[in-house]
Amino acid sequence: MNTQHKITNNTITRICDAIVYVEENLDKKLTLEKVAQKAYFSPFHFHRLFKVVTNETLQNFINRKRIEKAASFLLHQKDKTVTEISELIGYSNLSSFSKSFKKFYGISPTKFKEITPNKFSKISKTESKKGQIKISLEQYICNINNALNWLKMNTKPEIKKTPRLDLAYISHKGKIDAIGSVYNKLVKWATPKGLINEQTRMVTIYHDSPKITDPNNLRMSACIVLNDPIDLDDSVNLRILSPTKCIVSRFEITPFQFQQAWESSFVWMSENGYKKADNDPFEIYYNNAAEHPENKFIVDFCIPIL
């Protein structure tokens, strides 16, 4: 039978559960058997289905997530040593970690650590003539002062604890721009259930950083806030965002300003001495931009901090 026929919504939901388990346990020993068990599949079927759904083998996914998490630590928590970071992401020895990191990013973890977010160091992948992936470090166009001035004109960041959010969500893997179609699917699911009204809040969770992860591998969750318990079906998952200490910036901006808003928010975090926590950053939407006179989103940008 064609494997594609077996990829039901239920299968995707269970694979998503396994992905969340992996991301939350990168410091532990992750075996195929253990991860498959979390998705209620036999190891044999899980291995095959995971590759079809994610376009990566489980081991490649685990390795990539570990290295990308290490890169995030190196960028945002510079007080941690390279040895500490290697242990936090499940490597038993520093040599093995350093070798894996250099293979992925082209430079050593120690060299990578010298990159400062203040200089907007951006990691981009370019293909060399030999077809190999070459990593280059580029600076964003704007400088720190421009970023902070733009932020000052558009918002006043606050440090506060976000409320608990019960979320129905659909996962998206790929370019950020494509998440709109996922939201269309979510709205189509939510509308008959009476979940779409003037009080509806949507949430986007970013599980990867565009600075660190290849655009085609970026993982996001398109979510709708549930005010009351609801029976979910195979097309959506449930996720709970616990109350989280965050830098919260309220914006009223166009879709084209989102990248600038995120970059400026992270500059503000760094310049004001805050350190990003391990939790994923997220956006909370308070309106439908299509109904705004200037097609703007009213949205909170939330960066979890230590």
Side-chain angles (χ1 to χ4, degrees):
M1 186 183 286
N2 191 317
T3 310
Q4 200 63 38
H5 292 160
K6 296 182 181 179
I7 306 302
T8 62
N9 284 332
N10 179 259
T11 297
I12 293 170
T13 298
R14 286 154 69 183
I15 296 290
C16 285
D17 289 340
I19 286 172
V20 171
Y21 174 75
V22 167
E23 291 178 330
E24 291 177 349
N25 292 276
L26 290 172
D27 59 326
K28 299 181 177 67
K29 187 176 181 181
L30 293 166
T31 63
L32 172 62
E33 290 74 19
K34 189 178 288 185
V35 179
Q37 188 179 23
K38 294 295 176 182
Y40 301 99
F41 284 116
S42 70
F44 172 77
H45 282 103
F46 178 77
H47 186 267
R48 197 156 49 109
L49 291 168
F50 189 91
K51 178 74 161 61
V52 172
V53 171
T54 66
N55 212 27
E56 311 182 71
T57 65
L58 175 66
Q59 196 54 56
N60 280 352
F61 176 77
I62 291 170
N63 291 344
R64 178 170 69 81
K65 292 304 296 183
R66 281 181 166 146
I67 296 302
E68 288 174 354
K69 189 170 184 178
S72 181
F73 278 135
L74 290 164
L75 281 174
H76 297 298
Q77 297 186 30
K78 293 186 180 291
D79 54 327
K80 285 184 169 63
T81 66
V82 173
T83 303
E84 286 172 334
I85 289 168
S86 71
E87 290 169 357
L88 283 169
I89 57 164
Y91 277 84
S92 53
N93 68 78
L94 184 59
S95 173
S96 175
F97 164 61
S98 297
K99 189 177 178 182
S100 297
F101 192 95
K102 187 166 185 177
K103 185 179 178 183
F104 196 87
Y105 283 119
I107 56 175
S108 70
T110 306
K111 185 74 176 170
F112 189 97
K113 192 179 181 186
E114 293 169 9
I115 299 165
T116 167
N118 289 357
K119 292 183 180 174
F120 297 93
S121 298
K122 185 184 181 184
I123 296 147
S124 61
K125 297 189 174 187
T126 54
E127 203 166 310
S128 68
K129 290 178 182 176
K130 294 180 182 177
Q132 297 171 319
I133 296 296
K134 179 186 172 187
I135 306 301
S136 61
L137 302 177
E138 300 175 345
Q139 287 193 340
Y140 285 117
I141 298 168
C142 61
N143 60 34
I144 296 169
N145 287 336
N146 283 346
L148 294 175
N149 288 336
W150 184 89
L151 197 73
K152 191 175 181 180
M153 287 167 56
N154 286 278
T155 190
K156 186 178 180 181
E158 296 180 82
I159 309 301
K160 59 184 179 183
K161 190 167 276 191
T162 56
R164 168 183 161 138
L165 296 172
D166 292 51
L167 306 169
Y169 77 94
I170 300 175
S171 287
H172 167 65
K173 179 184 175 184
K175 292 185 169 65
I176 291 176
D177 296 348
I179 199 171
S181 60
V182 184
Y183 269 110
N184 290 340
K185 187 177 175 183
L186 186 64
V187 169
K188 193 174 179 181
W189 170 86
T191 301
K193 302 181 188 311
L195 297 175
I196 304 298
N197 54 55
E198 288 184 2
Q199 279 72 49
T200 300
R201 285 177 295 159
M202 299 291 191
V203 173
T204 301
I205 306 173
Y206 295 93
H207 305 294
D208 299 303
S209 166
K211 282 188 178 184
I212 294 165
T213 303
D214 183 284
N216 296 308
N217 285 330
L218 288 171
R219 279 193 62 248
M220 291 153 273
S221 292
C223 318
I224 185 169
V225 178
L226 301 174
N227 295 319
D228 300 296
I230 190 170
D231 291 328
L232 301 180
D233 53 40
D234 290 345
S235 59
V236 297
N237 285 27
L238 179 67
R239 187 182 211 119
I240 295 170
L241 276 186
S242 301
T244 307
K245 182 184 177 185
C246 288
I247 297 169
V248 179
S249 301
R250 173 73 57 91
F251 289 98
E252 191 167 341
I253 52 175
T254 67
F256 303 105
Q257 294 175 299
F258 271 58
Q259 182 178 338
Q260 188 168 19
W262 273 118
E263 289 171 4
S264 299
S265 297
F266 274 105
V267 172
W268 190 93
M269 177 190 77
S270 181
E271 289 294 297
N272 285 274
Y274 294 103
K275 290 178 182 172
K276 184 183 173 297
D278 202 18
N279 315 44
D280 298 323
F282 54 97
E283 297 159 350
I284 306 174
Y285 304 90
Y286 294 95
N287 75 320
N288 179 352
E291 296 171 1
H292 188 283
E294 298 177 67
N295 293 108
K296 289 184 175 181
F297 285 100
I298 299 170
V299 54
D300 282 345
F301 282 49
C302 305
I303 304 176
I305 53 173
L306 297 173

